[in-house]
Amino acid sequence: MPYNVGVIGTGYVGLVTGTCFAESGNNVLCIDIDADKVQRMKQGEVPIYEPGLEVLFQRNIRENRLEFSTNLEKAVTSCSIFFLCLPTPPSEDGSADLQHVLKVAKDIGELLHKHDIREHVVLVDKSTVPVGTSEKVRETVAAVAPNADFSIVSNPEFLKEGFAVDDFMKPDRVVVGTSNEKSAEIMRDLYEPFTRNGNPIFVLNEKSAEVCKYAANAHLAMRISFMNELANYCETVGANIDDVRYAIGSDSRIGKKFLYAGVGYGGSCFPKDVRALLHSAKDAGVELKVVQAVEEANAHQKSSFLEKIRAYLAESNGKTVAVWGLAFKPNTDDTREAPAFTLIDGLLADGCTVQAYDPEAFEGTQVRFGDKITYASDMYAACKNADVLVIVTEWSEFRNPDFAKIEAGLNNKVIFDGRNVFSLDKMADKGYRYHSIGRPAIIPEVE
Ligand SMILES: NC(=O)c1ccc[n+]([C@@H]2O[C@H](COP(=O)([O-])OP(=O)(O)OC[C@H]3O[C@@H](n4cnc5c(N)ncnc54)[C@H](O)[C@@H]3O)[C@@H](O)[C@H]2O)c1
């Protein structure tokens, strides 16, 4: 039997969740407070860049299983399961700001009360939240809907931007936190079509489920920070981090993924989730020393890349910088906490001219930098009269460029590569001055 599912918040998580649940046959009503966004979706426009989403989005709208509205009341009177896919941005002190989650919980509670809805409803928290949030949501709803029959489920989302549809359709695992057997059954039923490959659905208590998400992100961030620190060490002692990565990644206890050194992690999840976990642990009187170090190493990594470029610009009297890649990683238009932004901030503060290019992420960049930087029409245009090319995001199209076109634009054959996109041999052959991460710098001899 299809469920009537309300998805509240249609960002990267909500829109993918809603579309994929519609694709598996459910009737989905997506609610957002952003009227403009809802209008665009009603007209058939996908408001985010996420590979594979468009096809599913269009099909399910056409087949009347996917609808959009700003009207939460419509969802409460027609759905029995609500997925809260709301932002949980960092507060000033680093803790997760729960205002959106708790506001929607209260609104749903009030509407349940207003319509005297007595059948069982399930509120599923998909946002990334600190331990104890399920309890807060339960108290919030109970306070305004004393007669309602509801349960709260924590169902953290593990999708990766850029692979969100694939990850949702074939999750490595689904985590369901609930002590209510009826809700657990509904969740198993909803996720069954996505776990036919045998991947597990773990039903845990709410608190364990809440901890899972922060634990996963902190662990992944830890691998990145570990490799970044090791890269700096390799660079100093003359080793090559990529060779080290191949060698240690072949150990099945370590594995190959998330071992790439770079300019530091960014995005809408790792930075805020690491900080929120630290804050939540501090509140509980527990010190997470490793996680604290992960955060510090990341901040250092972002600034040390900038310092290297600054040193070169000072030495060469350069002032114009081409930047390839603005999104915090490839295959997304998301620029939240993007390392490119830290870099551009620093360059602008030094009075540099920045000529930027990204295949998808101009919208967020324009909001942040307006006309303070130039937005190039393609990757080669960004290089025109630039003193140095800096690669910040490893989009596929940057991997095998036409070097003649780069050279036609650049004043000097100098590349700072924050993602180790090119091999050292190639850059040495081509006569570039080439600085990457955790590998020896190539500095051609002056004739
Ligand atoms: N983006 C990711 O890769 C990812 C992955 C896993 C988990 N998460 C978590 O999922 C949550 C959502 O993340 P996101 O990236 O989808 O956020 P997002 O900012 O892209 O989208 C949130 C949406 O919620 C809407 N919204 C805000 N208040 C609302 C309200 N009162 N009623 C209805 N809609 C409202 C916003 O307009 C926006 O469209 C966060 O907690 C995040 O940490 C994100």
Side-chain angles (χ1 to χ4, degrees):
M1 264 291 279
Y3 289 96
N4 290 338
V5 177
V7 173
I8 323 299
T10 59
Y12 291 87
V13 169
L15 189 55
V16 170
T17 299
T19 305
C20 293
F21 278 140
E23 178 69 10
S24 64
N26 301 290
N27 301 310
V28 179
L29 176 56
C30 290
I31 304 292
D32 206 289
I33 43 162
D34 183 339
D36 181 51
K37 192 182 207 177
V38 168
Q39 193 51 34
R40 284 161 67 191
M41 292 190 289
K42 280 183 166 180
Q43 286 164 353
E45 189 189 327
V46 182
I48 53 168
Y49 174 74
E50 195 55 64
L53 185 59
E54 172 96 36
V55 164
L56 305 186
F57 177 88
Q58 301 299 355
R59 178 164 55 230
N60 284 286
I61 293 176
R62 219 170 34 242
E63 295 178 5
N64 300 319
R65 286 191 301 262
L66 184 60
E67 278 186 76
F68 305 94
S69 175
T70 51
N71 186 353
L72 184 63
E73 193 156 4
K74 190 173 168 194
V76 173
T77 50
S78 62
C79 300
S80 54
I81 308 166
F82 304 95
F83 281 82
L84 310 191
C85 304
L86 297 154
T88 48
S91 309
E92 250 170 49
D93 62 3
S95 62
D97 180 351
L98 296 178
Q99 61 162 312
H100 303 286
V101 171
L102 296 179
K103 158 108 180 43
V104 169
K106 182 164 180 261
D107 291 348
I108 291 177
E110 284 173 351
L111 289 164
L112 288 173
H113 187 67
K114 176 178 166 192
H115 293 276
D116 197 23
I117 293 171
R118 300 290 177 109
E119 71 254 32
H120 187 79
V121 297
V122 186
L123 268 73
V124 185
D125 178 25
K126 227 181 199 332
S127 298
T128 301
V129 292
V131 67
T133 302
S134 292
E135 196 44 45
K136 283 188 185 160
V137 171
R138 190 189 326 279
E139 285 165 8
T140 303
V141 177
V144 290
N147 304 322
D149 174 16
F150 68 96
S151 54
I152 309 293
V153 174
S154 166
N155 172 221
E157 180 51 57
F158 297 96
L159 62 75
K160 303 180 287 296
E161 283 178 24
F163 300 88
V165 172
D166 260 14
D167 286 345
F168 198 96
M169 292 301 230
K170 285 174 260 163
D172 289 340
R173 75 329 207 161
V174 174
V175 171
V176 172
T178 180
S179 36
N180 180 297
E181 194 37 48
K182 200 162 160 187
S183 307
E185 249 347 280
I186 293 170
M187 295 297 283
R188 281 197 193 94
D189 219 20
L190 264 174
Y191 277 107
E192 189 274 335
F194 306 104
T195 51
R196 291 203 177 137
N197 54 8
N199 285 350
I201 300 178
F202 293 112
V203 179
L204 321 169
N205 70 30
E206 290 90 335
K207 287 188 175 172
S208 301
E210 287 164 343
V211 172
C212 281
K213 177 64 189 175
Y214 282 137
N217 275 1
H219 181 90
L220 295 170
M222 177 182 73
R223 283 170 74 93
I224 295 173
S225 274
F226 174 79
M227 289 306 281
N228 284 341
E229 284 206 314
L230 210 62
N232 299 337
Y233 170 65
C234 284
E235 223 169 289
T236 309
V237 300
N240 181 323
I241 190 67
D242 281 343
D243 294 341
V244 173
R245 170 170 60 82
Y246 296 133
I248 65 170
S250 305
D251 184 327
S252 59
R253 293 170 304 177
I254 295 173
K256 294 183 169 51
K257 293 184 177 166
F258 272 84
L259 290 183
Y260 291 83
V263 290
Y265 61 76
S268 64
C269 294
F270 286 1
K272 86 170 169 59
D273 293 350
V274 165
R275 281 177 220 135
L277 173 59
L278 284 169
H279 199 278
S280 170
K282 193 170 160 216
D283 278 352
V286 178
E287 201 183 352
L288 299 180
K289 290 184 182 154
V290 173
V291 183
Q292 182 66 49
V294 167
E295 155 90 346
E296 285 163 16
N298 194 54
H300 173 76
Q301 192 67 8
K302 286 184 177 178
S303 61
S304 70
F305 188 57
L306 169 64
E307 291 313 321
K308 279 190 218 162
I309 298 165
R310 277 184 165 151
Y312 169 73
L313 290 173
E315 167 199 319
S316 64
N317 277 325
K319 279 278 175 212
T320 303
V321 180
V323 174
W324 281 5
L326 301 162
F328 81 93
K329 66 174 187 177
N331 296 317
T332 181
D333 56 353
D334 198 341
T335 51
R336 291 177 277 187
E337 299 227 20
F341 283 12
T342 311
L343 180 87
I344 294 172
D345 278 337
L347 295 172
L348 291 178
D350 295 350
C352 291
T353 299
V354 173
Q355 303 174 169
Y357 173 72
D358 189 284
E360 295 292 341
F362 276 163
E363 204 177 310
T365 310
Q366 259 153 350
V367 170
R368 170 76 188 268
F369 292 107
D371 58 8
K372 290 189 188 135
I373 65 171
T374 307
Y375 304 90
S377 54
D378 64 49
M379 60 204 251
Y380 302 110
C383 296
K384 200 162 176 227
N385 298 324
D387 298 303
V388 56
L389 165 61
V390 181
I391 302 174
V392 192
T393 315
E394 67 279 30
W395 283 93
S396 299
E397 68 187 79
F398 301 157
R399 288 182 185 278
N400 196 16
D402 183 337
F403 282 94
K405 285 191 182 168
I406 295 177
E407 284 152 34
L410 284 184
N411 292 336
N412 316 305
K413 285 169 74 170
V414 181
I415 296 180
F416 279 75
D417 179 355
R419 300 293 179 181
N420 293 359
V421 167
F422 305 127
S423 79
L424 296 180
D425 287 348
K426 185 183 211 169
M427 300 316 282
D429 278 357
K430 292 190 176 296
Y432 274 81
R433 176 170 177 153
Y434 180 65
H435 296 266
S436 53
I437 306 284
R439 304 186 298 179
I442 297 176
I443 303 180
E445 281 178 27
V446 184
E447 284 168 32

